[in-house]
């Protein structure tokens, strides 16, 4: 065999080896099913769907939560945070951090955020069995006041007060009683929440003419007040200048929007919580950024 022939065969052999190597690399990169290593567009679409209010199966309370970002989103919802990590896992860790609940409390609802300035929250509910807390529902996506949490709330500051609070003995709603264990008042025209600090009935339910100030016409505000529970913040009223705030409710979410200081949930999630709450279990609402839950 001549020198030129030997060189030709050697070059052909090298070409065959390169083709085999390139084909094997392509197979391993694509995977045995031919899929892409990671499709950023698909991942982003899935994450956005998981975090938006109401994205869950309506029959699965709490499934709307996928992640609780640290950043605050404006009330318009135009900057709704996107998921960047798997959602919170349902464990009793948050409840186990609490130290100052009344001894009679057998139900606790914890509403927490990543920071004081965030209005994107997670609601977790727990039942005490013996001396141990157990998860009542998967974590739920919630919203709080547009300006986040405040240790010292003032009327009109768009913040949700931190602390531990009981619930009022009556739940309310534009719609009929959904089957709650509390007394229930179906709203009618001229049912107000008095948010006028200049009146004796400040921060109470009132039926009659408009009490003035920022008082809310409860029967006209939908979907938020289709159902709600009153969180007993500043009840009874503590005199202060400026006034400490009023009308802090657990109510139906206006999708994509923060609140003026209340806590809101998708309606399906809210109804699951309202039906679960039992006045005989002395339930408490704990409102705070996660970093300071140990206070309570």
């Amino acid at each position: 065999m001549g020198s030129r022939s030997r060189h030709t065969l050697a070059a052909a052999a090298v070409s065959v080896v390169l083709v085999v190597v390139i084909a094997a690399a392509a197979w391993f990169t694509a995977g045995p099913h031919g899929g892409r290593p990671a499709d950023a567009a698909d991942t982003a679409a899935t994450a956005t769907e998981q975090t938006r209010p109401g994205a869950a199966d309506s029959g699965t309370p709490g499934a709307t939560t996928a992640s609780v970002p640290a950043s605050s989103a404006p009330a318009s919802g135009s900057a709704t945070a996107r998921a960047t990590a798997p959602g919170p896992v349902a464990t009793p860790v948050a409840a186990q951090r609490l130290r100052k609940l009344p001894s009679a409390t057998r139900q606790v609802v914890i509403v927490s955020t990543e920071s004081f300035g965030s209005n994107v929250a997670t609601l977790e509910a727990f039942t005490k069995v013996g001396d141990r807390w157990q998860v009542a529902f998967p974590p739920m996506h919630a919203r709080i006041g547009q300006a986040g949490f405040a240790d010292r709330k003032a009327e009109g500051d768009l913040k949700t007060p931190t602390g531990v609070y009981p619930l009022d003995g009556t739940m309310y709603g534009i719609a009929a009683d959904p089957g709650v264990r509390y007394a229930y008042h179906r709203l009618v025209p001229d049912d107000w929440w008095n948010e006028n600090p200049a009146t004796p009935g400040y921060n109470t339910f009132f039926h009659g003419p408009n009490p003035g100030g920022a008082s809310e016409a409860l029967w006209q505000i939908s979907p938020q007040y289709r159902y709600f529970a009153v969180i007993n913040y500043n009840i009874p009223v503590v005199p202060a200048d400026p006034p400490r705030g009023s009308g802090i409710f657990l109510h139906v979410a206006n999708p994509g929007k923060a609140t003026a200081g209340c806590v809101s949930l998708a309606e399906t999630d809210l109804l699951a919580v309202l039906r679960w709450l039992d006045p005989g279990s002395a339930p408490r609402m704990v409102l705070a950024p996660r970093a300071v839950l140990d206070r309570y």
Side-chain angles (χ1 to χ4, degrees):
M1 182 180 293
S3 175
R4 179 174 296 181
S5 297
R6 285 195 298 271
H7 285 293
T8 301
L9 288 173
V14 170
S15 298
V16 170
V17 171
L18 287 174
V19 169
V20 171
V21 170
I22 292 169
W27 187 89
F28 280 109
T29 301
H33 301 292
R36 292 165 291 176
D39 189 319
D42 289 350
T43 301
T46 300
T48 302
E49 180 66 15
Q50 287 175 325
T51 53
R52 68 175 176 82
D57 182 332
S58 61
T60 308
T64 54
T65 297
S67 176
V68 182
S71 61
S72 173
S76 66
S78 59
T80 301
R82 293 173 175 81
T84 57
V89 177
T91 72
V93 171
Q96 290 166 357
R97 293 177 60 188
L98 304 176
R99 298 289 181 267
K100 298 180 180 180
L101 293 176
S103 59
T105 293
R106 315 301 292 178
Q107 292 180 328
V108 65
V109 175
I110 300 174
V111 179
S112 60
T113 59
E114 289 288 352
S115 68
F116 273 89
S118 176
N119 59 48
V120 179
T122 298
L123 183 147
E124 300 171 272
F126 304 94
T127 302
K128 199 167 193 179
V129 179
D131 61 351
R132 304 182 71 85
W133 289 106
Q134 296 183 359
V135 174
F137 302 105
M140 299 175 176
H141 178 89
R143 297 300 291 268
I144 63 166
Q146 180 181 347
F149 275 124
D151 285 338
R152 300 185 66 179
K153 178 176 172 55
E155 185 71 45
D157 64 3
L158 300 180
K159 295 183 179 182
T160 298
T162 57
V164 181
Y165 305 103
L167 296 170
D168 187 74
T170 300
M171 293 180 178
Y172 299 85
I174 295 170
D177 183 351
V180 299
R181 305 183 194 191
Y182 281 71
Y184 187 85
H185 174 76
R186 188 170 186 179
L187 297 169
V188 298
D190 295 325
D191 280 348
W192 300 83
W193 197 264
N194 184 342
E195 299 186 21
N196 183 356
T199 63
Y202 174 57
N203 201 20
T204 63
F205 173 84
F206 174 75
H207 179 78
N210 186 349
S215 297
E216 295 186 272
L218 300 175
W219 76 98
Q220 295 179 343
I221 301 174
S222 184
Q224 294 94 318
Y225 296 164
R226 279 179 54 80
Y227 310 99
F228 70 92
V230 178
I231 301 170
N232 277 354
Y233 165 76
N234 200 24
I235 297 176
V237 171
V238 175
D241 186 16
R244 295 180 53 180
S246 57
I248 305 300
F249 306 147
L250 174 61
H251 65 65
V252 177
N254 192 359
K257 295 185 178 181
T259 74
C262 298
V263 177
S264 68
L265 288 172
E267 184 171 307
T268 300
D269 287 352
L270 178 70
L271 288 175
V273 173
L274 295 185
R275 290 169 178 147
W276 166 75
L277 287 165
D278 180 359
S281 294
R284 290 294 185 272
M285 296 277 299
V286 179
L287 312 178
R290 278 186 275 285
V292 299
L293 282 175
D294 302 87
R295 291 178 182 174
Y296 309 110

